[in-house]
Amino acid sequence: MDTVAVPLGGRNGVNPMTVRGTADVGLSPHVLEEAVKLVELRDAVARLGLQTEIRESMPALVVHSPDMGLPVWVFVGYGGAYYSWQSAEKRHPVGDVAGAAMALAEYVMGRVF
């Protein structure tokens, strides 16, 4: 069986979880795919200097505001095609992780990088 390393949980992947096929850990292929996309976005957002964490209870990325404002929750939606936040009013294609990270950072920080 193929092994896919998906760092989930903890802040910025401190607690990696190795997934050995979806049946072994009870994750559906859809949830696993969302988790992988969120990990890619988490890494790109972290490179911009923002604090992030993955929530395992529901596939979501939490991006913390540097000014201690409310965090932004990011989900994979629209059939897996977009990252979305702000009640799905904001979204960006998952195929452009760097662009999504920039758009999210701009939204969280209120400025352009």
Side-chain angles (χ1 to χ4, degrees):
M1 187 174 293
D2 292 334
T3 299
V4 179
V6 180
L8 297 174
R11 294 195 182 264
N12 295 318
V14 173
N15 301 315
M17 179 176 102
T18 301
V19 179
R20 296 183 186 279
T22 57
D24 293 349
V25 293
L27 295 178
S28 71
H30 174 74
V31 171
L32 180 60
E33 183 179 322
E34 285 184 8
V36 169
K37 289 175 182 176
L38 290 169
V39 167
E40 292 172 347
L41 181 60
R42 178 206 58 200
D43 293 346
V45 170
R47 283 191 293 273
L48 296 175
L50 294 173
Q51 185 180 11
T52 63
E53 62 183 287
I54 296 282
R55 294 293 172 105
E56 290 182 44
S57 57
M58 68 176 97
L61 174 67
V62 179
V63 180
H64 297 279
S65 174
D67 64 4
M68 302 309 288
L70 293 174
V72 174
W73 287 70
V74 182
F75 301 92
V76 175
Y78 299 93
Y82 289 90
Y83 295 111
S84 64
W85 59 96
Q86 188 57 37
S87 301
E89 291 178 17
K90 303 289 185 180
R91 66 181 184 216
H92 198 90
V94 296
D96 178 18
V97 177
M102 293 292 279
L104 185 55
E106 178 181 337
Y107 178 78
V108 169
M109 301 195 58
R111 65 181 173 138
V112 179
F113 283 79

